[in-house]
Amino acid sequence: MAKMRNRTSKSSMTFGKQSLIGVFVLVSVIVFSILYILEVSAHPFLQGQQQAEQVAIQYAGISSISRITRYNGEKSYYSVAGKNQADEALLVLIPEASSNILVFKATDGISQEEAETIAAENGASEIDKVTFGYFNNQPIWEVKSGQTYYTIAFEDGALLSKEGI
């Protein structure tokens, strides 16, 4: 009869190596899960921007777009800044919930820089963001400085409201 050999399997992987590989796999899964969630959550916003760009080109006559932002006030709008074929600067507001597109010539009101100056004159220190929007049936510039929002009338530069903490 053949002798049975005593076989003991020795793994070349020590407990420390196994733990290190396990931690690496766990961290990888967590990182890729977070990146996936961020991508999925940003998709509707990016899709909305692409639709706003198409609408501005097709219905407002914009030929080149310089900026697309989102304004959230009484209603949500995509705000598109750009120029038409005649090289006129236009500001277009595309409502999220309806099809009433609002088109304004930039020369019919104050500029973004003028809105920033008006906000600074009324207490704004460092400007974080400026968005073209629509409030109380009129076009406005919304200037964010820290925790404070300044609503400035597009047509005449009047300070309509100052809200914040």
Side-chain angles (χ1 to χ4, degrees):
M1 271 203 239
K3 290 185 178 178
M4 300 248 330
R5 292 188 184 183
N6 210 2
R7 291 188 184 188
T8 57
S9 68
K10 287 191 174 182
S11 175
S12 63
M13 297 273 281
T14 64
F15 180 72
K17 286 182 182 179
Q18 289 176 351
S19 297
L20 188 61
I21 290 172
V23 168
F24 176 75
V25 169
L26 181 64
V27 168
S28 297
V29 168
I30 290 171
V31 167
F32 285 111
S33 296
I34 290 170
L35 291 175
Y36 178 74
I37 290 169
L38 289 174
E39 181 182 347
V40 168
S41 65
H43 183 72
F45 179 73
L46 295 174
Q47 187 177 14
Q49 277 190 324
Q50 290 171 346
Q51 288 176 342
E53 183 177 334
Q54 291 172 353
V55 168
I57 290 169
Q58 188 173 4
Y59 295 106
I62 286 191
S63 58
S64 67
I65 294 174
S66 58
R67 186 178 77 179
I68 299 176
T69 56
R70 187 173 172 155
Y71 169 76
N72 292 306
E74 296 169 324
K75 296 179 183 175
S76 293
Y77 294 88
Y78 283 97
S79 173
V80 181
K83 292 187 176 186
N84 61 11
Q85 294 288 350
D87 206 36
E88 295 175 307
L90 298 177
L91 298 166
V92 181
L93 292 171
I94 303 166
E96 196 173 71
S98 75
S99 60
N100 294 334
I101 299 166
L102 305 168
V103 181
F104 302 93
K105 288 184 180 179
T107 56
D108 289 345
I110 66 168
S111 68
Q112 176 179 334
E113 292 77 19
E114 290 172 306
E116 290 175 11
T117 302
I118 293 167
E121 290 170 354
N122 287 282
S125 53
E126 187 176 323
I127 306 296
D128 298 326
K129 182 180 177 184
V130 180
T131 306
F132 187 69
Y134 203 71
F135 179 73
N136 286 343
N137 296 318
Q138 64 179 323
I140 55 105
W141 288 106
E142 181 183 69
V143 181
K144 182 180 184 283
S145 174
Q147 299 274 328
T148 306
Y149 288 86
Y150 299 82
T151 304
I152 300 164
F154 168 70
E155 293 169 343
D156 62 5
L159 179 67
L160 301 174
S161 69
K162 177 181 174 181
E163 299 175 7
I165 298 173

